[in-house]
Amino acid sequence: PVLLGAGATVLALVCIAVLGVLPLPLLIVWMVLFGALSAYTPLVIAHGKSLFAPHHVGRGLTLFNMATMGGVFIVQSVSGLVIDLYPVVDGRYPLAAYRAVFLLQAAFLAFGALNYLGARDLRRAHNAPR
């Protein structure tokens, strides 16, 4: 479910980057879909609990939370740097700047999803028959 959600979210970001400006009804539909598709984060945290030995779960989830907040900081900072590469015209950034940021977000998310592919459930590995 996590990879499906991440993949669908990447597709939604690429879609809005490619299409650019949507009519209001389609924009509302896109926003509802984007909100629903990107609601898989609690599953990542729940899975994160299983990635650590029982005596390390507290530390592991703390690490997850710190990485999440740190990742948000880095992604927002890099997005700001990218959008600032474009000149402000009439008090706003051009559409190309937003397209670049949406594609950047899609790339970050795709990179994270590819790394998530390597996540294994340690508890299942310890309980597996030998």
Side-chain angles (χ1 to χ4, degrees):
V2 170
L3 294 174
L4 287 174
T9 304
V10 167
L11 288 175
L13 287 166
V14 169
C15 177
I16 196 72
V18 170
L19 295 175
V21 179
L22 296 176
L24 185 58
L26 286 179
L27 182 60
I28 292 170
V29 169
W30 182 88
M31 291 181 120
V32 169
L33 284 174
F34 184 76
L37 295 173
S38 61
Y40 60 89
T41 306
L43 294 173
V44 175
I45 298 299
H47 183 216
K49 183 177 178 184
S50 71
L51 296 176
F52 300 98
H55 61 285
H56 287 260
V57 168
R59 291 178 185 167
L61 290 181
T62 299
L63 176 65
F64 263 49
N65 286 327
M66 289 172 55
T68 299
M69 293 298 112
V72 168
F73 169 78
I74 291 169
V75 168
Q76 287 181 348
S77 298
V78 172
S79 295
L81 292 172
V82 168
I83 206 165
D84 278 341
L85 294 173
Y86 293 84
V88 176
V89 179
D90 295 330
R92 57 187 165 179
Y93 290 103
L95 179 59
Y98 293 99
R99 286 180 164 172
V101 169
F102 283 131
L103 288 174
L104 178 68
Q105 297 297 316
F108 280 143
L109 185 53
F111 177 76
L114 287 174
N115 282 296
Y116 185 78
L117 281 172
R120 299 290 177 246
D121 188 341
L122 293 180
R123 289 184 189 178
R124 190 174 295 163
H126 290 303
N127 294 332
R130 296 170 197 221

